[in-house]
Amino acid sequence: MSFEPHGKHLIAGNWVSGAEKFSSDPVKGQPNEFSVGTPELVDDACKAAEEAFWSYGYSSREDRAAFLNAIADEIDARGAQITEIGTSETGLPEARLEGERGRTTGQLRLFATHILAGDYLDRRHDAALPDRQPLPRPDLKMVQRPIGPVAVFGASNFPLAFSTAGGDTASALAAGCPVVVKGHEAHPGTGEIVAEAIHAAIAKCGVHPGVFSLVQGGTREVGQALVQHPLITAVGFTGSLGGGRALFDLCAQRPQPIPFFGELGSVNPMFLLPEALKARGGQIAAGWAGSLTMGAGQFCTNPGIVVAIDGPDADAFIEAATKALEPIGAQTMLTDGIAAAYRAGRDRVAGTAGVQEVLTSVCDLRNATPYVFATTGKEWLANEALGEEVFGPLGLIVRVADTDEMMQVARSLHGQLTCTLHLDAGDTELGQKLMPVLERKAGRVMTNGFPTGVEVCDSMVHGGPYPASTNFGHTSVGTMAIRRFLRPVCYQNMPDALLPGDLQ
Protein backbone atom coordinates (compact mmCIF):
# COMPACT_ATOMS: atom_id res chain seq x y z
CA MET A 1 0.00 0.00 0.00
CA SER A 2 1.37 3.43 -0.94
CA PHE A 3 1.92 6.03 1.75
CA GLU A 4 -0.27 9.11 1.43
CA PRO A 5 1.13 11.99 3.52
CA HIS A 6 -1.34 13.97 5.58
CA GLY A 7 0.99 16.97 5.70
CA LYS A 8 0.84 17.66 9.44
CA HIS A 9 3.41 18.35 12.13
CA LEU A 10 3.88 15.94 15.02
CA ILE A 11 3.88 17.98 18.22
CA ALA A 12 4.09 16.01 21.47
CA GLY A 13 1.96 13.13 20.26
CA ASN A 14 -0.55 15.16 18.24
CA TRP A 15 -0.67 15.63 14.48
CA VAL A 16 -1.19 19.36 13.99
CA SER A 17 -1.96 21.27 10.78
CA GLY A 18 -1.73 24.96 9.98
CA ALA A 19 -3.34 27.47 7.67
CA GLU A 20 -0.25 28.06 5.51
CA LYS A 21 0.89 25.25 3.20
CA PHE A 22 3.82 24.38 0.98
CA SER A 23 4.07 21.77 -1.76
CA SER A 24 6.73 19.13 -2.06
CA ASP A 25 8.75 19.02 -5.27
CA PRO A 26 9.17 15.33 -6.09
CA VAL A 27 11.32 14.01 -8.91
CA LYS A 28 8.44 11.76 -9.91
CA GLY A 29 4.82 11.49 -8.89
CA GLN A 30 2.41 14.13 -7.66
CA PRO A 31 3.43 16.82 -5.17
CA ASN A 32 1.85 16.79 -1.72
CA GLU A 33 0.83 19.66 0.53
CA PHE A 34 2.37 20.14 3.96
CA SER A 35 1.70 22.60 6.73
CA VAL A 36 4.32 25.28 7.18
CA GLY A 37 6.11 25.40 10.53
CA THR A 38 5.80 28.43 12.77
CA PRO A 39 7.62 29.78 15.84
CA GLU A 40 4.46 29.02 17.84
CA LEU A 41 4.70 25.33 16.92
CA VAL A 42 8.39 25.37 17.84
CA ASP A 43 7.47 26.81 21.24
CA ASP A 44 4.87 24.09 21.83
CA ALA A 45 7.33 21.37 20.84
CA CYS A 46 10.12 22.72 23.03
CA LYS A 47 7.88 23.06 26.08
CA ALA A 48 6.68 19.50 25.60
CA ALA A 49 10.29 18.31 25.25
CA GLU A 50 11.22 20.01 28.52
CA GLU A 51 8.28 18.36 30.26
CA ALA A 52 9.29 14.97 28.81
CA PHE A 53 12.85 15.39 30.03
CA TRP A 54 11.78 15.14 33.68
CA SER A 55 10.84 11.52 33.06
CA TYR A 56 12.80 10.48 29.97
CA GLY A 57 16.06 12.08 31.12
CA TYR A 58 15.91 10.00 34.30
CA SER A 59 14.72 6.76 32.70
CA SER A 60 16.77 3.58 32.81
CA ARG A 61 19.18 2.63 30.07
CA GLU A 62 17.15 -0.54 29.58
CA ASP A 63 14.00 1.46 28.87
CA ARG A 64 15.77 3.80 26.47
CA ALA A 65 17.38 0.88 24.65
CA ALA A 66 13.97 -0.76 24.26
CA PHE A 67 12.62 2.52 22.85
CA LEU A 68 15.46 2.82 20.31
CA ASN A 69 14.94 -0.76 19.17
CA ALA A 70 11.19 -0.15 18.90
CA ILE A 71 11.82 2.85 16.62
CA ALA A 72 14.05 0.68 14.43
CA ASP A 73 11.34 -2.00 14.29
CA GLU A 74 8.66 0.51 13.31
CA ILE A 75 10.87 1.99 10.57
CA ASP A 76 11.55 -1.48 9.18
CA ALA A 77 7.82 -2.26 9.26
CA ARG A 78 7.28 0.70 6.91
CA GLY A 79 10.29 -0.12 4.75
CA ALA A 80 8.62 -0.45 1.36
CA GLN A 81 6.57 2.72 1.86
CA ILE A 82 9.63 4.66 3.01
CA THR A 83 11.55 3.58 -0.09
CA GLU A 84 8.65 4.49 -2.37
CA ILE A 85 8.14 8.02 -1.10
CA GLY A 86 11.87 8.58 -0.56
CA THR A 87 12.75 7.77 -4.16
CA SER A 88 9.82 9.87 -5.38
CA GLU A 89 10.87 12.94 -3.42
CA THR A 90 14.66 12.77 -3.83
CA GLY A 91 15.35 10.82 -7.00
CA LEU A 92 17.75 8.57 -5.09
CA PRO A 93 17.77 4.96 -6.35
CA GLU A 94 15.79 2.34 -4.45
CA ALA A 95 18.94 0.43 -3.51
CA ARG A 96 20.46 3.58 -2.03
CA LEU A 97 17.34 4.30 0.05
CA GLU A 98 17.12 0.71 1.24
CA GLY A 99 20.78 0.79 2.24
CA GLU A 100 20.31 4.08 4.02
CA ARG A 101 17.29 2.71 5.87
CA GLY A 102 19.46 -0.19 7.03
CA ARG A 103 22.06 2.27 8.23
CA THR A 104 19.38 4.27 10.06
CA THR A 105 17.92 1.30 11.90
CA GLY A 106 21.39 -0.12 12.42
CA GLN A 107 22.62 2.96 14.25
CA LEU A 108 19.48 3.04 16.41
CA ARG A 109 20.17 -0.56 17.43
CA LEU A 110 23.88 0.20 17.86
CA PHE A 111 23.12 2.98 20.32
CA ALA A 112 20.74 0.67 22.19
CA THR A 113 23.58 -1.83 22.63
CA HIS A 114 26.04 0.96 23.44
CA ILE A 115 24.07 2.44 26.33
CA LEU A 116 23.31 -0.99 27.79
CA ALA A 117 27.06 -1.65 28.02
CA GLY A 118 27.38 1.57 30.04
CA ASP A 119 30.96 2.46 29.11
CA TYR A 120 29.84 5.84 27.76
CA LEU A 121 28.93 6.92 31.30
CA ASP A 122 32.65 7.23 32.16
CA ARG A 123 31.87 6.49 35.80
CA ARG A 124 34.61 7.49 38.27
CA HIS A 125 34.91 7.18 42.03
CA ASP A 126 37.49 8.65 44.39
CA ALA A 127 36.75 7.21 47.80
CA ALA A 128 36.83 9.40 50.87
CA LEU A 129 40.12 9.72 52.76
CA PRO A 130 38.96 11.01 56.15
CA ASP A 131 42.39 10.63 57.78
CA ARG A 132 44.38 12.35 55.06
CA GLN A 133 46.62 15.19 56.25
CA PRO A 134 46.61 18.12 56.20
CA LEU A 135 43.01 17.91 54.90
CA PRO A 136 40.65 14.96 54.46
CA ARG A 137 39.26 14.11 51.02
CA PRO A 138 35.51 13.84 50.50
CA ASP A 139 33.87 10.94 48.67
CA LEU A 140 33.60 11.91 44.99
CA LYS A 141 31.68 10.19 42.23
CA MET A 142 31.26 11.31 38.61
CA VAL A 143 29.00 10.23 35.77
CA GLN A 144 27.82 11.61 32.43
CA ARG A 145 24.27 12.99 32.51
CA PRO A 146 21.89 14.08 29.69
CA ILE A 147 21.73 17.82 29.03
CA GLY A 148 18.06 18.37 28.08
CA PRO A 149 16.03 18.97 24.91
CA VAL A 150 18.01 18.90 21.67
CA ALA A 151 17.17 20.51 18.30
CA VAL A 152 17.99 18.54 15.15
CA PHE A 153 17.95 19.88 11.58
CA GLY A 154 17.23 17.30 8.88
CA ALA A 155 19.82 17.06 6.09
CA SER A 156 18.98 17.30 2.39
CA ASN A 157 21.37 14.61 1.18
CA PHE A 158 20.47 11.86 3.67
CA PRO A 159 16.67 11.76 4.04
CA LEU A 160 16.93 8.89 6.53
CA ALA A 161 20.39 8.51 8.11
CA PHE A 162 20.91 12.23 8.85
CA SER A 163 17.32 13.37 9.19
CA THR A 164 14.22 12.62 11.26
CA ALA A 165 15.50 9.48 13.01
CA GLY A 166 19.11 9.82 11.92
CA GLY A 167 22.33 9.81 13.89
CA ASP A 168 21.71 13.09 15.75
CA THR A 169 18.26 11.98 16.88
CA ALA A 170 19.43 8.46 17.76
CA SER A 171 22.38 9.65 19.84
CA ALA A 172 20.33 12.32 21.64
CA LEU A 173 17.56 9.86 22.51
CA ALA A 174 20.16 7.33 23.64
CA ALA A 175 21.66 9.94 25.95
CA GLY A 176 18.24 10.66 27.49
CA CYS A 177 17.50 13.90 25.64
CA PRO A 178 14.13 14.64 24.00
CA VAL A 179 14.40 15.84 20.39
CA VAL A 180 12.68 18.51 18.30
CA VAL A 181 13.36 17.98 14.58
CA LYS A 182 13.03 20.64 11.92
CA GLY A 183 12.29 18.56 8.84
CA HIS A 184 13.96 19.34 5.54
CA GLU A 185 11.58 20.61 2.88
CA ALA A 186 13.33 18.49 0.22
CA HIS A 187 11.72 15.30 1.57
CA PRO A 188 8.81 16.16 3.89
CA GLY A 189 6.84 13.01 3.13
CA THR A 190 9.81 10.84 4.04
CA GLY A 191 10.18 12.81 7.25
CA GLU A 192 6.50 12.35 8.04
CA ILE A 193 6.43 8.56 7.65
CA VAL A 194 9.56 8.20 9.81
CA ALA A 195 7.92 10.45 12.42
CA GLU A 196 4.93 8.10 12.33
CA ALA A 197 7.30 5.23 13.12
CA ILE A 198 8.69 7.13 16.13
CA HIS A 199 5.15 8.03 17.21
CA ALA A 200 4.21 4.34 17.13
CA ALA A 201 7.28 3.42 19.19
CA ILE A 202 6.38 6.08 21.77
CA ALA A 203 2.93 4.52 22.18
CA LYS A 204 4.34 0.99 22.29
CA CYS A 205 6.90 1.84 24.99
CA GLY A 206 4.77 4.23 27.04
CA VAL A 207 7.26 7.08 26.65
CA HIS A 208 6.20 10.68 27.31
CA PRO A 209 4.97 11.97 23.91
CA GLY A 210 7.00 15.18 24.23
CA VAL A 211 10.17 13.13 23.74
CA PHE A 212 9.91 13.72 19.98
CA SER A 213 8.35 16.37 17.75
CA LEU A 214 8.64 17.12 14.03
CA VAL A 215 8.10 20.63 12.69
CA GLN A 216 7.87 20.65 8.89
CA GLY A 217 9.16 23.29 6.49
CA GLY A 218 8.98 26.91 7.45
CA THR A 219 11.12 29.96 6.82
CA ARG A 220 14.44 30.84 8.41
CA GLU A 221 12.39 32.34 11.20
CA VAL A 222 11.40 28.82 12.27
CA GLY A 223 15.00 27.63 12.42
CA GLN A 224 15.99 30.75 14.32
CA ALA A 225 13.15 30.25 16.79
CA LEU A 226 14.31 26.67 17.38
CA VAL A 227 17.99 27.38 18.07
CA GLN A 228 17.15 30.41 20.20
CA HIS A 229 14.43 28.77 22.27
CA PRO A 230 15.51 28.98 25.92
CA LEU A 231 14.60 25.33 26.59
CA ILE A 232 16.86 23.94 23.83
CA THR A 233 20.24 22.89 25.22
CA ALA A 234 22.14 21.85 22.05
CA VAL A 235 21.73 21.70 18.27
CA GLY A 236 22.67 19.01 15.74
CA PHE A 237 22.98 20.21 12.14
CA THR A 238 24.19 18.83 8.81
CA GLY A 239 24.14 21.25 5.89
CA SER A 240 25.80 24.15 4.15
CA LEU A 241 28.57 26.31 5.56
CA GLY A 242 26.49 29.49 5.15
CA GLY A 243 23.35 28.17 6.81
CA GLY A 244 25.24 26.37 9.54
CA ARG A 245 27.41 29.36 10.38
CA ALA A 246 24.33 31.60 10.68
CA LEU A 247 22.72 29.17 13.16
CA PHE A 248 26.03 28.73 15.01
CA ASP A 249 26.24 32.49 15.51
CA LEU A 250 22.66 32.59 16.81
CA CYS A 251 23.49 29.89 19.36
CA ALA A 252 26.53 31.84 20.52
CA GLN A 253 24.55 35.09 20.80
CA ARG A 254 21.85 33.66 23.06
CA PRO A 255 21.65 35.02 26.61
CA GLN A 256 22.61 31.47 27.59
CA PRO A 257 24.84 30.21 24.75
CA ILE A 258 24.51 26.55 23.77
CA PRO A 259 26.71 24.18 21.76
CA PHE A 260 26.02 23.95 18.03
CA PHE A 261 27.26 20.68 16.55
CA GLY A 262 27.31 21.50 12.86
CA GLU A 263 28.77 19.34 10.09
CA LEU A 264 29.30 21.85 7.30
CA GLY A 265 31.05 20.05 4.47
CA SER A 266 34.52 19.42 3.16
CA VAL A 267 36.56 19.00 -0.04
CA ASN A 268 38.27 15.82 1.29
CA PRO A 269 41.62 16.08 -0.52
CA MET A 270 43.48 13.02 -1.79
CA PHE A 271 47.28 13.10 -2.00
CA LEU A 272 48.74 10.82 -4.67
CA LEU A 273 52.31 10.05 -3.64
CA PRO A 274 54.85 9.42 -6.42
CA GLU A 275 55.38 5.65 -6.22
CA ALA A 276 51.67 4.89 -5.97
CA LEU A 277 50.88 7.29 -8.79
CA LYS A 278 53.49 5.67 -11.01
CA ALA A 279 52.51 2.06 -10.21
CA ARG A 280 48.72 2.28 -10.21
CA GLY A 281 47.62 5.74 -11.27
CA GLY A 282 45.03 4.31 -13.65
CA GLN A 283 43.47 2.17 -10.91
CA ILE A 284 43.33 5.14 -8.54
CA ALA A 285 41.79 7.28 -11.29
CA ALA A 286 38.99 4.75 -11.87
CA GLY A 287 38.27 4.54 -8.15
CA TRP A 288 38.28 8.32 -7.83
CA ALA A 289 35.80 8.65 -10.70
CA GLY A 290 33.40 6.27 -8.96
CA SER A 291 33.73 8.01 -5.60
CA LEU A 292 33.46 11.51 -7.09
CA THR A 293 30.20 10.76 -8.89
CA MET A 294 28.59 8.46 -6.32
CA GLY A 295 25.11 9.79 -5.54
CA ALA A 296 25.67 12.68 -7.99
CA GLY A 297 28.53 13.80 -5.76
CA GLN A 298 26.11 14.71 -2.98
CA PHE A 299 28.13 13.26 -0.12
CA CYS A 300 29.88 15.39 2.48
CA THR A 301 32.91 13.08 2.08
CA ASN A 302 33.06 13.51 -1.70
CA PRO A 303 36.78 13.64 -2.69
CA GLY A 304 36.75 16.90 -4.64
CA ILE A 305 40.50 17.64 -4.62
CA VAL A 306 43.41 15.55 -5.92
CA VAL A 307 47.01 16.63 -5.27
CA ALA A 308 49.77 15.06 -7.41
CA ILE A 309 53.29 15.96 -8.47
CA ASP A 310 53.35 17.31 -12.01
CA GLY A 311 54.84 15.14 -14.73
CA PRO A 312 54.06 12.21 -17.03
CA ASP A 313 52.47 10.14 -14.22
CA ALA A 314 50.09 13.01 -13.39
CA ASP A 315 49.29 13.30 -17.12
CA ALA A 316 48.46 9.60 -17.25
CA PHE A 317 46.27 9.90 -14.15
CA ILE A 318 44.30 12.78 -15.66
CA GLU A 319 43.85 10.88 -18.90
CA ALA A 320 42.61 7.78 -17.05
CA ALA A 321 40.26 9.81 -14.86
CA THR A 322 38.81 11.56 -17.89
CA LYS A 323 38.27 8.25 -19.65
CA ALA A 324 36.48 6.86 -16.56
CA LEU A 325 34.27 9.92 -16.13
CA GLU A 326 33.26 10.59 -19.73
CA PRO A 327 30.63 7.78 -19.94
CA ILE A 328 28.89 8.90 -16.74
CA GLY A 329 25.69 10.62 -17.72
CA ALA A 330 23.44 13.12 -15.99
CA GLN A 331 22.25 12.27 -12.49
CA THR A 332 19.29 13.79 -10.67
CA MET A 333 20.17 16.06 -7.78
CA LEU A 334 18.17 16.29 -4.59
CA THR A 335 16.61 19.69 -5.25
CA ASP A 336 16.55 22.38 -7.91
CA GLY A 337 18.38 24.65 -5.48
CA ILE A 338 21.24 22.19 -5.01
CA ALA A 339 21.50 21.75 -8.78
CA ALA A 340 21.64 25.52 -9.29
CA ALA A 341 24.31 25.84 -6.58
CA TYR A 342 26.34 23.12 -8.30
CA ARG A 343 26.30 24.99 -11.61
CA ALA A 344 27.25 28.20 -9.81
CA GLY A 345 30.19 26.43 -8.17
CA ARG A 346 31.24 25.03 -11.54
CA ASP A 347 31.18 28.51 -13.05
CA ARG A 348 33.16 29.93 -10.13
CA VAL A 349 35.91 27.34 -10.53
CA ALA A 350 35.95 27.61 -14.33
CA GLY A 351 36.25 31.38 -14.14
CA THR A 352 39.21 31.35 -11.74
CA ALA A 353 42.54 32.48 -13.14
CA GLY A 354 45.03 29.66 -13.56
CA VAL A 355 42.38 26.91 -13.79
CA GLN A 356 42.15 24.74 -16.90
CA GLU A 357 39.18 22.66 -18.02
CA VAL A 358 39.96 18.93 -18.21
CA LEU A 359 36.48 17.46 -18.61
CA THR A 360 33.43 19.55 -19.44
CA SER A 361 29.83 18.54 -19.95
CA VAL A 362 26.37 20.05 -20.05
CA CYS A 363 23.81 19.94 -17.26
CA ASP A 364 20.65 21.89 -16.55
CA LEU A 365 17.43 21.77 -14.56
CA ARG A 366 17.83 19.26 -11.69
CA ASN A 367 20.65 17.30 -13.30
CA ALA A 368 24.37 17.08 -12.61
CA THR A 369 27.16 15.83 -14.86
CA PRO A 370 30.83 15.49 -13.89
CA TYR A 371 33.39 18.25 -14.40
CA VAL A 372 37.14 18.11 -13.85
CA PHE A 373 39.52 21.07 -13.70
CA ALA A 374 43.24 21.36 -13.09
CA THR A 375 45.47 23.99 -11.60
CA THR A 376 49.01 24.34 -10.26
CA GLY A 377 50.18 24.26 -6.69
CA LYS A 378 51.26 27.88 -7.06
CA GLU A 379 47.79 28.97 -8.17
CA TRP A 380 46.16 26.95 -5.37
CA LEU A 381 48.33 28.62 -2.75
CA ALA A 382 47.54 32.06 -4.18
CA ASN A 383 43.76 31.59 -4.31
CA GLU A 384 42.00 30.45 -1.14
CA ALA A 385 38.65 30.24 -2.97
CA LEU A 386 39.83 27.11 -4.81
CA GLY A 387 39.49 25.25 -1.51
CA GLU A 388 35.76 25.97 -1.20
CA GLU A 389 33.39 23.02 -1.53
CA VAL A 390 31.36 22.49 -4.70
CA PHE A 391 28.55 20.13 -3.71
CA GLY A 392 28.34 17.73 -6.63
CA PRO A 393 30.52 15.61 -8.97
CA LEU A 394 33.21 18.21 -9.64
CA GLY A 395 36.90 17.48 -9.18
CA LEU A 396 39.94 19.76 -9.12
CA ILE A 397 43.41 18.33 -9.71
CA VAL A 398 46.26 20.32 -8.18
CA ARG A 399 49.54 19.68 -9.96
CA VAL A 400 52.34 20.56 -7.53
CA ALA A 401 55.95 21.12 -8.57
CA ASP A 402 57.54 18.78 -6.02
CA THR A 403 57.15 17.24 -2.57
CA ASP A 404 57.89 20.56 -0.85
CA GLU A 405 54.99 22.21 -2.67
CA MET A 406 52.79 19.22 -1.83
CA MET A 407 53.58 19.88 1.84
CA GLN A 408 52.70 23.56 1.39
CA VAL A 409 49.36 22.62 -0.13
CA ALA A 410 48.66 20.29 2.79
CA ARG A 411 49.48 23.03 5.30
CA SER A 412 47.22 25.47 3.45
CA LEU A 413 44.11 23.33 3.88
CA HIS A 414 41.24 24.40 6.07
CA GLY A 415 39.55 21.86 8.32
CA GLN A 416 38.37 18.69 6.56
CA LEU A 417 36.21 15.70 7.32
CA THR A 418 38.75 13.44 5.60
CA CYS A 419 42.19 13.44 4.05
CA THR A 420 43.50 10.50 2.02
CA LEU A 421 46.98 9.29 1.14
CA HIS A 422 47.52 6.96 -1.81
CA LEU A 423 50.97 5.48 -1.25
CA ASP A 424 53.15 2.44 -1.85
CA ALA A 425 56.08 1.18 0.21
CA GLY A 426 58.49 3.61 -1.45
CA ASP A 427 56.29 6.54 -0.41
CA THR A 428 56.51 5.83 3.32
CA GLU A 429 58.99 8.60 4.14
CA LEU A 430 56.87 11.25 2.39
CA GLY A 431 53.77 9.83 4.01
CA GLN A 432 55.39 10.16 7.42
CA LYS A 433 56.10 13.83 6.72
CA LEU A 434 52.52 14.48 5.61
CA MET A 435 50.79 12.67 8.47
CA PRO A 436 51.38 15.28 11.23
CA VAL A 437 49.90 17.91 8.91
CA LEU A 438 46.92 15.87 7.78
CA GLU A 439 45.91 14.71 11.24
CA ARG A 440 45.70 18.37 12.26
CA LYS A 441 43.49 19.09 9.26
CA ALA A 442 40.96 16.22 9.35
CA GLY A 443 38.83 14.06 11.61
CA ARG A 444 39.54 10.93 9.56
CA VAL A 445 42.82 10.19 7.75
CA MET A 446 42.94 7.17 5.47
CA THR A 447 45.26 5.41 3.04
CA ASN A 448 44.67 3.72 -0.30
CA GLY A 449 40.90 4.09 -0.35
CA PHE A 450 38.15 6.58 -1.00
CA PRO A 451 36.34 8.54 1.70
CA THR A 452 32.75 8.10 0.51
CA GLY A 453 31.16 5.56 2.81
CA VAL A 454 31.26 6.31 6.53
CA GLU A 455 31.24 3.26 8.79
CA VAL A 456 28.91 3.53 11.80
CA CYS A 457 30.98 2.10 14.64
CA ASP A 458 32.78 2.91 17.88
CA SER A 459 35.98 4.33 16.35
CA MET A 460 34.50 6.48 13.56
CA VAL A 461 35.08 10.23 13.60
CA HIS A 462 32.87 12.23 11.26
CA GLY A 463 33.88 15.77 12.02
CA GLY A 464 37.01 17.86 11.95
CA PRO A 465 38.43 21.34 12.41
CA TYR A 466 36.32 24.25 11.19
CA PRO A 467 34.76 24.58 8.66
CA ALA A 468 34.30 20.81 8.36
CA SER A 469 32.45 21.05 11.65
CA THR A 470 31.86 23.65 14.33
CA ASN A 471 33.21 21.51 17.16
CA PHE A 472 36.33 19.52 16.38
CA GLY A 473 36.14 17.51 19.60
CA HIS A 474 33.06 15.53 18.54
CA THR A 475 31.66 13.33 15.80
CA SER A 476 28.21 13.06 14.21
CA VAL A 477 28.67 9.38 13.26
CA GLY A 478 29.52 6.47 15.53
CA THR A 479 28.87 5.79 19.19
CA MET A 480 31.05 8.67 20.35
CA ALA A 481 28.34 10.99 18.95
CA ILE A 482 26.44 10.49 22.21
CA ARG A 483 29.01 12.62 24.04
CA ARG A 484 27.59 15.74 22.40
CA PHE A 485 24.45 15.47 24.49
CA LEU A 486 25.97 14.60 27.87
CA ARG A 487 27.81 16.54 30.53
CA PRO A 488 29.80 15.31 33.54
CA VAL A 489 28.34 15.80 37.01
CA CYS A 490 30.31 15.22 40.22
CA TYR A 491 28.54 14.09 43.41
CA GLN A 492 30.30 14.85 46.68
CA ASN A 493 29.49 12.91 49.86
CA MET A 494 26.17 11.96 48.31
CA PRO A 495 23.98 9.30 49.95
CA ASP A 496 23.31 6.38 47.63
CA ALA A 497 19.59 7.05 47.73
CA LEU A 498 20.13 10.44 46.07
CA LEU A 499 22.53 9.29 43.37
CA PRO A 500 21.48 8.60 39.77
CA GLY A 501 20.63 4.97 39.18
CA ASP A 502 23.76 4.51 37.08
CA LEU A 503 25.92 5.32 40.16
CA GLN A 504 24.04 3.29 42.73
Side-chain angles (χ1 to χ4, degrees), residues 237-241 243-245 260 262-266 389 466-470:
F237 174 89
T238 299
S240 69
L241 174 59
R245 182 54 196 254
F260 179 86
E263 192 266 276
L264 308 181
S266 177
E389 181 186 28
Y466 186 86
S469 64
T470 55

Side-chain angles (χ1 to χ4, degrees), residues 138-219:
D139 184 84
L140 298 167
K141 297 184 176 74
M142 189 276 283
V143 70
Q144 299 287 338
R145 299 295 294 149
I147 60 175
V150 170
V152 171
F153 285 73
S156 63
N157 59 334
F158 280 89
L160 299 175
F162 276 87
S163 289
T164 310
D168 289 345
T169 297
S171 53
L173 292 176
C177 299
V179 173
V180 178
V181 171
K182 183 184 181 297
H184 200 286
E185 57 273 13
H187 43 75
T190 310
E192 182 185 301
I193 191 171
V194 174
E196 285 197 349
I198 300 173
H199 182 49
I202 288 171
K204 180 187 293 185
C205 297
V207 177
H208 190 296
V211 77
F212 175 84
S213 291
L214 170 68
V215 180
Q216 293 277 29
T219 62

Side-chain angles (χ1 to χ4, degrees), residues 266-273 277 280-281 283-292 301-309 317 321 380 395-400 406 409-410 413 416 418-423 434 438 445-452:
S266 177
V267 295
N268 307 296
M270 300 196 320
F271 291 80
L272 313 188
L273 304 197
L277 181 62
R280 49 191 175 88
Q283 178 185 344
I284 297 169
W288 179 55
S291 183
L292 183 71
T301 53
N302 187 37
I305 303 295
V306 171
V307 183
I309 296 175
F317 171 84
W380 168 277
L396 176 64
I397 299 168
V398 183
R399 304 172 69 133
V400 295
M406 180 176 279
V409 168
L413 293 168
Q416 304 293 326
T418 74
C419 287
T420 302
L421 288 172
H422 286 273
L423 76 167
L434 282 163
L438 300 187
V445 185
M446 61 185 297
T447 61
N448 296 334
F450 301 93
T452 41

Side-chain angles (χ1 to χ4, degrees), residues 3 10 15 67 70-78 82 108 164-165 190-204 212:
F3 174 69
L10 178 61
W15 291 102
F67 178 45
I71 296 173
D73 290 343
E74 293 293 339
I75 290 173
D76 280 339
R78 295 161 174 79
I82 289 172
L108 284 161
T164 310
T190 310
E192 182 185 301
I193 191 171
V194 174
E196 285 197 349
I198 300 173
H199 182 49
I202 288 171
K204 180 187 293 185
F212 175 84

